Amino acid sequence: MNAAAHRPLTTFLLGLTLPLMATAEMRAWKNKAGVSIEAEMVAVDVTARTITIKRADAQTFTIPIDSLSDEDKAFAAEQWKKMQAMPAATPPAIPGAPAAPAPTAPAPKTASARPAPPRPALTITPASKFKVPNSADYVRTVLKTRPRLIHAAPGWAYVKGLPATDPVAAKMVENLKAGGEKLLEAPELTRIFGEQRGTVTPGSKAMFRMATLGVLNFVDGDPRWKERGVRELIAITDPATFQNWYVDEPPVTADFLIAASLGYDYFRDGLNEKQATDARTYMIEKGIGALAAFLKGEPVPESARGKTAGSDAAPKPKAAPKGAGKGESEEEPDSEHMAAASALILAAFCLNDEDPSAAKQAMDAAGKVFGKGMLRFAPAGIWPEGMESGEHVLDYAILVLQTLKANAGSDLGFSLLEGIPQAGLARVHLVGPTNQLFNYGDAQGAALTRPWVSTWLAGAHGNMGTKALTAGAAPGADTAFLNLAGHLMYYNPHAAGDGTPDSMDYSFQGGSVAAMRSGWDKDAFYVAVKGGDNSIPTAQLDLGSFVLEAGGKRWGIELGGESDRAPGFKPAADRTKRYELYVENTLGQNTISLGGNQELDAKASVIVSHSTPALGITAVDLSKGYSKSAKDVFRGAMMVRGAKPYVVLQDDLQVKNTTPVTWSMHTRAEVVVEGAKATLTDKEKTLYAVILSPAGATFTAEEAPEPKSEQMKKLTGIKVLKVNLGAVKGLQTLSIAFGLGEAPAAIPVKPISEWVPKR
């Protein structure tokens, strides 16, 4: 069976937004909730991870890929493959669409134009010495004039002047204007009923629209942008259109509050007093009230919920969201808390002069949460819940830091707080040669999807190794988040040039993740291994898990997150239910199992970091994850570079009592095992795995288990390469080498503690 046919749709999505062929068929599309709609697929947006479908009456809908049924995902993948086979120079026609324009010259690329400027010298503040600002510190200096969110007037004047001197910025503005024209043709946002799943929601679309219209208003000056911005703001703050901002889904509420704050700040002079009062009232009741309650662990106020259509009373509030019942100081902020806190801070800046009491309410709830959250990137720039969640947090946090700078000339030291400068480095190294993210934990995708975060980080700390910005493409009206507007807002010389990484290895002692590669080409060897914190409510029991790439293929894969409809998945007081799910428990990870799951409160970190042009070494102390069964557990990874690079993964264990030990790696490749050697094949590429120790150990291969319920994630086409040591006791060394195209030569085995060469 061809494993590629069972890969998620996103593995086929290699372009941006592309139209489908004229022969796309009308069919019943069904989501995971069973809701069906008769339509044809007309476009795919990789950045937003959505497809667009069109009904017979020509009405279109944009749907998150992850919300589709498995059958429809497979169908969409087949349609996408047909798209890829069509000539690139002549886009296929869409029935009822205008004729395609004549081909134009490709957007200018800066990759060969110039390198990024040298990175600035940075004085980083250790997390242990950083004093979290109090709520009043944030708004101690707020401009009395508008605009003041993200940029004040001088900042927008700088952005406006970029096209005159930078051809990429000029093309970027051109594309943004083309996207703006599409937006003008689309209706204002209206409420979509039902649960909002994925990242493309009415809230994230509202944020995109306000950011895009705001940038165009300040950079281009056409009055149509302001006029439409006013209409969008009125629409999303109209109780007749939006009963509320989906207050039981705080990230969606946060996106709406950010969008409204941007719109109010950018287009305030286009509102009459009644319109301004109505918008403020809605923002305070439906946005600030709801998010402040969320951060405090309180029920959402009735005023934030509004009334159900056709009823005279507001519905009863649902159970308080995650974090309810815990004091603010008892809980580490997660990505949802950071989205809420960032939105509240922006709203406080927006309303500070016109409603100081509302601004104070917002800041009192958000200030300390935001500060505590920013500390969680230390020491190595990685958010504890994973890179995907961390990117979301940074996207929101950057809005706050930019706003602080625009108003006070300082971001209270956050941009130089340990972990934030390293975040740009992590974004370079935690993406492998195949451009796939090390997607551990509950990541729903295998790529970073908000590249404007890297644009800002390059401007703040220098370019750590990202390619120069290009002008992108004109965004559609249903795009989510900042998108192209974010690149233009944050445009800077460091992002406009090619960055050069200092090292092929990323490893910080005390950090939670390490990564190494043999080179920067697409066929290079790459291995990334994690420590982490199992006590996080949304964590998988995945200490020690790894991904492995070579020859342009990802051989050792992460399974991503389980379906959030799976029984026991959502965080609860009894976390053991969650870890009955294969994808969430230890067996579903590329790590070792000692008779069962890792400890639920265990933490693991990097203890060895060594990097030279010829050799990369890292090791993670996993001992606390197996404390009931073993005294010491260390996982080491070695990257040997050169003409024939190879990787060694080794586990050194001191097992207390007789315990079964199993090593696992999940893969989409075809697997043939022969004693101590395994051959993995993916099309024309072959990877060999050889057990170096212990003598007599052998590989086995099996299909990933079938889901126990229809709500659980299907693992079709995924195999598990295993080494079962059986029940063992005492010192054990399990060492495996990986080579591409041929089996690695005999490699001496020695303890991880002796790997680093002596000076």
Side-chain angles (χ1 to χ4, degrees):
M1 184 177 294
N2 183 357
H6 300 279
R7 295 177 187 172
L9 175 62
T10 50
T11 62
F12 296 105
L13 306 184
L14 304 177
L16 292 173
T17 304
L18 294 178
L20 198 62
M21 59 205 66
T23 56
E25 67 181 75
M26 192 72 69
R27 72 194 304 272
W29 292 87
K30 188 176 292 185
N31 66 14
K32 292 179 180 178
V35 178
S36 178
I37 182 172
E38 190 80 16
E40 63 177 336
M41 188 172 94
V42 296
V44 179
D45 188 328
V46 179
T47 302
R49 291 176 49 74
T50 62
I51 64 167
T52 298
I53 60 175
K54 185 170 70 172
R55 293 194 316 205
D57 62 1
Q59 186 172 359
T60 61
F61 302 86
T62 300
I63 302 172
I65 291 168
D66 293 331
S67 72
L68 293 173
S69 68
D70 291 332
E71 179 183 354
D72 284 344
K73 278 186 181 180
F75 176 82
E78 287 301 314
Q79 293 296 99
W80 175 253
K81 286 196 287 186
K82 294 177 183 178
M83 291 170 65
Q84 289 179 303
M86 298 191 67
T90 309
I94 304 173
T104 57
K109 295 183 179 180
T110 60
S112 60
R114 61 181 183 270
R119 293 195 290 272
L122 303 175
T123 302
I124 297 173
T125 304
S128 60
K129 296 184 178 180
F130 184 78
K131 182 180 179 182
V132 174
N134 61 45
S135 298
D137 290 335
Y138 292 85
V139 291
R140 201 170 300 283
T141 303
V142 179
L143 295 174
K144 299 185 183 300
T145 57
R146 298 186 188 276
R148 54 179 177 248
L149 297 187
I150 303 179
H151 288 302
W156 287 118
Y158 168 79
V159 176
K160 183 177 181 179
L162 285 170
T165 58
D166 191 309
V168 174
K171 182 63 177 178
M172 198 175 285
V173 172
E174 180 183 327
N175 287 338
L176 198 62
K177 288 171 67 175
E181 294 292 343
K182 297 178 186 179
L183 204 165
L184 294 180
E185 295 172 1
E188 290 83 18
L189 289 172
T190 57
R191 184 177 179 87
I192 299 174
F193 290 91
E195 189 176 6
Q196 297 304 304
R197 309 171 67 79
T199 57
V200 182
T201 69
S204 60
K205 291 180 183 180
M207 192 190 301
F208 162 76
R209 292 186 174 202
M210 288 305 187
T212 297
L213 293 166
V215 171
L216 290 172
N217 178 56
F218 295 123
V219 173
D220 179 59
D222 188 323
R224 296 180 301 158
W225 311 128
K226 178 182 289 187
E227 187 273 337
R228 180 54 185 266
V230 168
R231 284 165 47 195
E232 290 284 356
L233 177 61
I234 291 172
I236 65 173
T237 57
D238 181 0
T241 304
F242 284 91
Q243 170 191 326
N244 58 49
W245 280 338
Y246 305 89
V247 293
D248 292 309
E249 299 172 70
V252 181
T253 311
D255 291 342
F256 268 115
L257 183 57
I258 291 171
S261 298
L262 294 179
Y264 193 92
D265 184 55
Y266 295 166
F267 309 121
R268 176 63 178 89
D269 58 358
L271 300 168
N272 62 39
E273 286 310 308
K274 182 180 184 307
Q275 291 169 336
T277 299
D278 289 347
R280 285 198 309 274
T281 301
Y282 193 104
M283 292 166 65
I284 294 166
E285 290 185 352
K286 307 297 192 292
I288 293 176
L291 294 178
F294 168 66
L295 291 183
K296 294 177 181 178
E298 299 172 353
V300 175
E302 293 294 314
S303 58
R305 288 188 175 278
K307 296 183 178 181
T308 303
S311 70
D312 295 325
K316 294 181 180 180
K318 294 181 181 179
K322 183 168 50 178
K326 295 183 180 181
E328 182 184 283
S329 62
E330 298 174 9
E331 183 174 337
E332 292 284 2
D334 64 15
S335 57
E336 290 191 357
H337 295 126
M338 290 298 285
S342 299
L344 287 169
I345 294 171
L346 291 172
F349 273 90
C350 177
L351 302 179
N352 189 69
D353 51 349
E354 296 187 64
D355 199 322
S357 63
K360 185 176 187 303
Q361 178 190 4
M363 283 308 319
D364 286 348
K368 287 187 178 180
V369 174
F370 183 86
K372 288 175 62 179
M374 294 297 281
L375 287 166
R376 301 194 75 196
F377 283 98
I382 295 177
W383 184 253
E385 294 174 279
M387 288 294 292
E388 184 181 72
S389 291
E391 179 176 57
H392 300 172
V393 172
L394 284 170
D395 192 16
Y396 292 114
I398 287 167
L399 295 170
V400 174
L401 304 195
Q402 273 294 126
T403 297
L404 286 167
K405 288 182 179 179
N407 284 264
S410 165
D411 61 16
L412 301 177
F414 281 118
S415 61
L416 291 177
L417 169 62
E418 180 185 13
I420 306 306
Q422 292 89 343
L425 194 63
R427 289 172 67 83
V428 171
H429 286 277
L430 270 292
V431 174
T434 64
N435 285 324
Q436 295 182 75
L437 179 68
F438 183 13
N439 56 324
Y440 59 86
D442 282 341
Q444 295 301 313
L448 294 172
T449 58
R450 305 188 192 185
W452 53 91
V453 170
S454 290
T455 300
W456 185 88
L457 289 169
H461 313 114
N463 192 325
M464 302 292 181
T466 57
K467 291 295 183 183
L469 275 177
T470 59
D478 287 328
T479 302
F481 300 106
L482 299 184
N483 200 266
L484 191 57
H487 285 302
L488 196 57
M489 286 175 175
Y490 304 148
Y491 200 89
N492 63 83
H494 291 276
D498 269 344
T500 302
D502 290 333
S503 172
M504 287 183 280
D505 303 326
Y506 171 87
S507 183
F508 290 80
Q509 291 199 27
S512 60
V513 182
M516 302 176 292
R517 66 185 74 210
S518 62
W520 290 99
D521 58 286
K522 63 181 179 60
D523 292 325
F525 259 92
Y526 175 82
V527 63
V529 61
K530 72 177 294 292
D533 184 354
N534 285 352
S535 69
I536 297 172
T538 57
Q540 295 181 346
L541 300 184
D542 62 354
L543 305 183
S545 196
F546 70 94
V547 292
L548 178 67
E549 295 184 11
K553 308 287 185 180
R554 176 161 286 191
W555 303 95
I557 66 168
E558 276 282 346
L559 301 181
E562 177 59 91
S563 165
D564 61 4
R565 295 190 184 279
F569 173 79
K570 293 186 177 179
D574 182 8
R575 295 175 63 207
T576 59
K577 296 293 183 182
R578 177 181 176 92
Y579 301 120
E580 292 175 3
L581 301 169
Y582 180 82
V583 171
E584 299 296 316
N585 67 32
T586 303
L587 293 176
Q589 318 304 323
N590 297 337
T591 189
I592 54 172
S593 170
L594 272 65
N597 279 331
Q598 295 172 350
E599 300 299 317
L600 270 61
D601 60 351
K603 298 180 181 180
S605 60
V606 175
I607 58 171
V608 175
S609 300
H610 176 79
S611 179
T612 68
L615 184 66
I617 294 172
T618 192
V620 181
D621 184 354
L622 305 178
S623 301
K624 292 182 179 179
Y626 306 94
S627 60
K628 293 180 180 179
S629 303
K631 179 182 178 183
D632 296 310
V633 181
F634 301 103
R635 166 156 283 189
M638 179 188 299
M639 174 69 67
V640 180
R641 293 181 267 266
K644 293 183 178 181
Y646 62 89
V647 166
V648 176
L649 282 170
Q650 182 167 309
D651 297 303
D652 290 350
L653 307 85
Q654 182 70 45
V655 183
K656 293 179 182 176
N657 301 305
T658 303
T659 304
V661 175
T662 303
W663 180 100
S664 299
M665 184 184 87
H666 296 77
T667 184
R668 291 192 182 95
E670 296 296 330
V671 182
V672 176
V673 299
E674 186 180 355
K677 185 173 80 172
T679 304
L680 287 72
T681 304
D682 187 342
K683 295 181 180 178
E684 75 286 0
K685 301 289 186 179
T686 302
L687 182 80
Y688 293 93
V690 177
I691 301 174
L692 306 176
S693 174
T698 59
F699 283 114
T700 61
E702 59 191 52
E703 298 287 337
E706 291 289 326
K708 295 181 180 179
S709 75
E710 292 184 357
Q711 291 77 32
M712 292 172 63
K713 188 173 190 175
K714 293 183 178 179
L715 304 176
T716 308
I718 295 175
K719 298 177 177 61
V720 191
L721 180 65
K722 290 186 174 182
V723 180
N724 294 293
L725 297 186
V728 296
K729 183 180 180 180
L731 183 63
Q732 305 292 324
T733 295
L734 176 52
S735 188
I736 301 174
F738 298 88
L740 186 69
E742 61 182 85
I747 302 165
V749 176
K750 54 185 177 181
I752 296 170
S753 60
E754 298 177 11
W755 277 11
V756 176
K758 295 181 179 179
R759 295 181 180 179

